[in-house]
C-alpha cells in the first residue's frame, strides 16, 4: 500500500517502471489485488510490475489531499524505485495516440486537488526515499565563506529533514514556509514564501541548480546559466513543465537562538507603517536587519491562536480582542549566537523604536532556532485533538499591492470577514514582500508594485461551514476584481482559460511556449487545470 502523508504541500515529482511492447504500456504489479481493471485495459495498460499499485485503499488515498474537498480517482499509483522509471513512463505516455496524464505527489499539501490525476497516474514521490538509501540530502559547506554553502536535495525530501541535516554543519536555508513538513519539489513548484521572504526572497530564488525530468521524459540539469529556459520555467511553474528530482538549495550560517516578539495593535495604519519599516531592513548580510517579519489579525469570537502569550496575560489579550473586534499582531524575530547575545535586546529596541503598538502589549520569548523554525510541528496534533484533522480547508492566498492594503483592511477584513463572522480555526496572516527579492524570469505571478503583501486566510472549517466560507472567499476575489486591485492569487486553482491568462498576464505567452517545448502533450500536473482546463 502507498504511504502518503496528506499534511503537506502540492505538486512534487514522479517516477516508475515501464516497458513498451507493441505500443502497449507494460507495467507490473504483485499484490493480492492486481492492476487488471477494465479501466486500465481500456487505456492499453497491461500489468506486470510491482511498482504499479491499484488496490482500492491506495487509490482512495491518492484521491484526496490536505484540503479534504476535492476527490479525483486515478487509474493507478506508481511506487517508483528509480528516477529512470520517470523518464520511461513519460516517454511512453508521449508515444500513445491518447496520452495518459501524470501527477507527481509527495506530501499532498494541496487543497484543491492540484496533485491529483483523474483517470491518470499518480506517482508517490515519497517512495524515492528508499531508492536514495539515505542519500537524499547532501550538505556542502564552504569553509571560506559559509554563505556560499549549499545542499543537494531530492525533490521528494521535506524541508524539516533538510533543516536537521544542515544544522549538523552549522548551516540553514535562508527562507522557510510556516510549515516544514512540505516537500522540496512541492514548494519550489509554487514559490515557497514566509516571514523571511522580505529579506531573502521566496524559496525559488534561493536555488542554484535543478535536475528535472520534462514532460517529454528528458532528464535535464539546469541553472541560471545552463538550460536556463527550463530552470526558470519550473521554478514557480505549478508542475507544468517538468518534475524536480534534485534541487541545489542555498545555505547560510545558522545561529542557535531566536528572540521572538509579538506586538498587538488596534490601529491598522500604525501596524502597516511599523511592518513596512521592519521590511526596509532587507540587506542579505545585514546583521542589524530582522530575520523574520510577519503579521496576523485576531477576530472576536474566533478560535484565535493565542498560545504564544503568557498564561497570566491571556485574559487581557482576549479582552482587547473583544473590545475592538479585530486586532493586528506584528511578529518579529531576530537570530543570535553567543557572541551577539549581549547586544541582541538593544538591537531589537533600536528596530522597534517609536512603534505604535498598544502599550504593555509587547510579548517576547527566547527560544532555540530550531524550535522557532519548526514551531508548527505539532499542528496536526492540535487539529486531531480539536476534532478537525479531517475537516475541510477553505484557504485563500492572495498577493496584495501595498498601495491597496488599506482597501483590503476596510472592505475585506472588516467589511466581509468580520461582518459575516463565519468562525473558523486557523490563522490569518499578512506577510510583507519586496519585489526586488523575486526573479521575474521565473513562472510565479506577483503584483507589479515594488512592495506587496501576501494575505493568507488559512481557515479550517466544519463541513457545515464549508459552502459559506467558500462563498466568502469568492466574494473577496470578486471585490478585488471589481475594485481594480491588481492582486495575484498564490496557490491558484479552478480558473477558466481566460482567468489563467489574466493571472499570468504578460507571462502567459511565455508559459504557453514553454509548455509547447517541455510538455507538448499536456501530460504533467493535470490537477492544476491550466493547459488542460
Amino acid at each position: 500500500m502507498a504511504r502518503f502523508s496528506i499534511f503537506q504541500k502540492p505538486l512534487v515529482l514522479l517516477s516508475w517502471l515501464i516497458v513498451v511492447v507493441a505500443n502497449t504500456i507494460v507495467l507490473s504489479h504483485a499484490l493480492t489485488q492486481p492492476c487488471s481493471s477494465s479501466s486500465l485495459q481500456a487505456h492499453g495498460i497491461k500489468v506486470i510490475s510491482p511498482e504499479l499499485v491499484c488496490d482500492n485503499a491506495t487509490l482512495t488515498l491518492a484521491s484526496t489531499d490536505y484540503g479534504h474537498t476535492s476527490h479525483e480517482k486515478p487509474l493507478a499509483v506508481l511506487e517508483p524505485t528509480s528516477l529512470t522509471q520517470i523518464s520511461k513512463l513519460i516517454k511512453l505516455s508521449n508515444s500513445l495516440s491518447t496520452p495518459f496524464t501524470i501527477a507527481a505527489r509527495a506530501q499532498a499539501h494541496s487543497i484543491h486537488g492540484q496533485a491529483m490525476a483523474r483517470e491518470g497516474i499518480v506517482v508517490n514521490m515519497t517512495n524515492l526515499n528508499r531508492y536514495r538509501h539515505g542519500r537524499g540530502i547532501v550538505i556542502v559547506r564552504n569553509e571560506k565563506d559559509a554563505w556560499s554553502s549549499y545542499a543537494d536535495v531530492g525533490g521528494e525530501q521535506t524541508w524539516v529533514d533538510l533543516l536537521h541535516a544542515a544544522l549538523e554543519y552549522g548551516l540553514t536555508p535562508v527562507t522557510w514556509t510556516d510549515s516544514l513538513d512540505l516537500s522540496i519539489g512541492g514548494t519550489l513548484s509554487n514559490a515557497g514564501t514566509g516571514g523571511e521572504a522580505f529579506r531573502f526572497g521566496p524559496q525559488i530564488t534561493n536555488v542554484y541548480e535543478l535536475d528535472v525530468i520534462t514532460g517529454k521524459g528528458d532528464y535535464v540539469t539546469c541553472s541560471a546559466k545552463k538550460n536556463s529556459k527550463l530552470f526558470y520555467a519550473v521554478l514557480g511553474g505549478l508542475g507544468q513543465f517538468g518534475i524536480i528530482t534534485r534541487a541545489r538549495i542555498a545555505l547560510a550560517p545558522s545561529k542557535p537562538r531566536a528572540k521572538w516578539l509579538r506586538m498587538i495593535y488596534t490601529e491598522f495604519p500604525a501596524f502597516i507603517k511599523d511592518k513596512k519599516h521592519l521590511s526596509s531592513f532587507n540587506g542579505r548580510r545585514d546583521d542589524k536587519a530582522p530575520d523574520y517579519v510577519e503579521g496576523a489579525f485576531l477576530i472576536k469570537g474566533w478560535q484565535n491562536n493565542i498560545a504564544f502569550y503568557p498564561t497570566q496575560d491571556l485574559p487581557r489579550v482576549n479582552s482587547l480582542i473583544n473590545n475592538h473586534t479585530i486586532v493586528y499582531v506584528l511578529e518579529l524575530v531576530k537570530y543570535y549566537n553567543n557572541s551577539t547575545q549581549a547586544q541582541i535586546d538593544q538591537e531589537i529596541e533600536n528596530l522597534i523604536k517609536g512603534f505604535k503598538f498598544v502599550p504593555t502589549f509587547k510579548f517576547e520569548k527566547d527560544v532555540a532556532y530550531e524550535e522557532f523554525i519548526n514551531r508548527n510541528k505539532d499542528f496536526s496534533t492540535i487539529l486531531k485533538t480539536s476534532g478537525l484533522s479531517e475537516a475541510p480547508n477553505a484557504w485563500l492566498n492572495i498577493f496584495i499591492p501595498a498601495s491597496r492594503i488599506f482597501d483590503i483592511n476596510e472592505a475585506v477584513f472588516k467589511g466581509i470577514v468580520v461582518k459575516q463572522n463565519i468562525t473558523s480555526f486557523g490563522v490569518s496572516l499578512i506577510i510583507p514582500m519586496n519585489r526586488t527579492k523575486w526573479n521575474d524570469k521565473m513562472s510565479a505571478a506577483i503584483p507589479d508594485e515594488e512592495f506587496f503583501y501576501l494575505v493568507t486566510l488559512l481557515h479550517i472549517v466544519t463541513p457545515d461551514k464549508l459552502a459559506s466560507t467558500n462563498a466568502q472567499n469568492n466574494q473577496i476575489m470578486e471585490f478585488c476584481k471589481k475594485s481594480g486591485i491588481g492582486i495575484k492569487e498564490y496557490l491558484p486553482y479552478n480558473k477558466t482559460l481566460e482567468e489563467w491568462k489574466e493571472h499570468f498576464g504578460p507571462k502567459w505567452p511565455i508559459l504557453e511556449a514553454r509548455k509547447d517545448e517541455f510538455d507538448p502533450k499536456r501530460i504533467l500536473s493535470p490537477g492544476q487545470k491550466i493547459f488542460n482546463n
Side-chain angles (χ1 to χ4, degrees), residues 214-239:
T214 71
K216 296 191 291 188
D218 300 328
Y219 191 88
V220 181
T221 297
C222 55
S223 67
K225 295 182 178 180
K226 179 182 180 182
N227 299 311
S228 61
K229 191 185 298 185
L230 178 62
F231 181 73
Y232 291 129
V234 169
L235 292 171
L238 304 178

Side-chain angles (χ1 to χ4, degrees), residues 199-449:
R199 183 176 174 190
F200 296 104
Q203 290 174 330
I204 55 175
T205 62
N206 291 282
V207 179
Y208 296 135
E209 185 178 271
L210 296 171
D211 285 343
V212 174
I213 299 179
T214 71
K216 296 191 291 188
D218 300 328
Y219 191 88
V220 181
T221 297
C222 55
S223 67
K225 295 182 178 180
K226 179 182 180 182
N227 299 311
S228 61
K229 191 185 298 185
L230 178 62
F231 181 73
Y232 291 129
V234 169
L235 292 171
L238 304 178
Q240 294 300 304
F241 312 103
I243 302 158
I244 300 170
T245 60
R246 177 187 65 90
R248 180 164 290 179
I249 306 293
L251 299 179
S254 64
K255 296 178 181 179
R257 302 296 299 177
K259 186 71 75 169
W260 185 4
L261 275 71
R262 285 185 179 176
M263 297 159 279
I264 302 181
Y265 293 69
T266 57
E267 299 297 327
F268 189 73
F271 165 74
I272 287 296
K273 180 181 178 181
D274 292 350
K275 180 192 291 286
K276 192 166 185 179
H277 173 74
L278 290 177
S279 304
S280 67
F281 294 88
N282 51 43
R284 192 171 180 84
R285 301 197 187 195
D286 183 0
D287 288 337
K288 291 182 170 32
D291 293 294
Y292 168 99
V293 177
E294 278 196 8
F297 60 83
L298 308 175
I299 296 177
K300 178 181 178 180
W302 284 33
Q303 292 178 278
N304 296 303
N305 182 6
I306 56 174
F308 174 90
Y309 307 103
T311 302
Q312 65 271 21
D313 289 306
L314 292 181
R316 68 190 189 98
V317 169
N318 277 318
S319 177
L320 188 72
I321 297 171
N322 291 334
N323 288 338
H324 292 272
T325 306
I326 180 171
V327 300
Y328 310 92
V329 181
L330 178 53
E331 192 169 15
L332 160 68
V333 177
K334 192 163 177 56
Y335 310 133
Y336 68 95
N337 52 35
N338 292 336
S339 63
T340 59
Q341 183 173 6
Q343 66 260 31
I344 188 67
D345 288 335
Q346 186 58 54
E347 289 179 3
I348 289 177
E349 285 304 313
N350 291 338
L351 282 171
I352 66 173
K353 184 178 181 180
F355 277 19
K356 301 298 184 181
F357 53 86
V358 180
T360 75
F361 279 82
K362 181 186 77 171
F363 306 90
E364 66 178 63
K365 289 183 178 181
D366 195 306
V367 298
Y369 172 77
E370 182 178 354
E371 181 181 345
F372 170 72
I373 293 297
N374 201 18
R375 59 197 176 280
N376 294 318
K377 64 180 179 180
D378 297 324
F379 188 63
S380 59
T381 302
I382 294 172
L383 290 178
K384 187 175 181 179
T385 56
S386 302
L388 295 170
S389 58
E390 301 295 323
N393 288 257
W395 290 4
L396 181 65
N397 301 274
I398 47 179
F399 292 122
I400 308 291
S403 64
R404 304 300 299 273
I405 194 63
F406 293 102
D407 296 323
I408 294 296
N409 179 56
E410 292 298 324
V412 173
F413 299 160
K414 293 181 178 180
I416 297 178
V417 177
V418 170
K419 188 174 181 179
Q420 294 182 7
N421 195 29
I422 306 172
T423 58
S424 68
F425 181 86
V427 293
S428 302
L429 303 176
I430 310 169
I431 307 173
M433 301 282 165
N434 288 304
R435 188 181 178 89
T436 57
K437 302 298 180 179
W438 293 64
N439 189 328
D440 203 44
K441 294 180 181 179
M442 297 175 181
S443 294
I446 58 175
D448 291 333
E449 293 187 10

Side-chain angles (χ1 to χ4, degrees), residues 22-94:
N23 218 19
T24 300
I25 306 179
V26 181
L27 302 168
S28 111
H29 183 272
L31 290 177
T32 56
Q33 182 180 345
C35 283
S36 58
S37 68
S38 58
S39 59
L40 281 176
Q41 297 291 345
H43 285 75
I45 302 177
K46 291 184 179 179
V47 186
I48 54 167
S49 162
E51 286 75 30
L52 189 65
V53 182
C54 292
D55 67 280
N56 188 61
T58 298
L59 296 184
T60 299
L61 190 56
S63 301
T64 191
D65 60 14
Y66 187 72
H68 301 294
T69 60
S70 298
H71 305 280
E72 301 283 359
K73 198 167 187 176
L75 294 172
V77 172
L78 183 79
E79 304 280 7
T81 58
S82 77
L83 298 178
T84 303
Q85 295 172 359
I86 301 173
S87 177
K88 288 183 177 180
L89 170 69
I90 297 175
K91 287 183 177 180
L92 182 60
S93 182
N94 273 281

Side-chain angles (χ1 to χ4, degrees), residues 150-224:
Y150 63 85
D152 279 325
V153 190
E156 78 287 344
Q157 301 293 316
T158 63
W159 285 95
V160 69
D161 290 333
L162 174 55
L163 170 67
H164 294 154
L167 286 177
E168 291 183 10
Y169 292 80
L171 300 168
T172 179
V174 294
T175 297
W176 301 97
T177 57
D178 283 351
S179 173
L180 303 192
D181 293 324
L182 313 178
S183 68
I184 302 294
T187 65
L188 295 182
S189 294
N190 289 276
T193 64
E196 299 85 3
F198 80 95
R199 183 176 174 190
F200 296 104
Q203 290 174 330
I204 55 175
T205 62
N206 291 282
V207 179
Y208 296 135
E209 185 178 271
L210 296 171
D211 285 343
V212 174
I213 299 179
T214 71
K216 296 191 291 188
D218 300 328
Y219 191 88
V220 181
T221 297
C222 55
S223 67

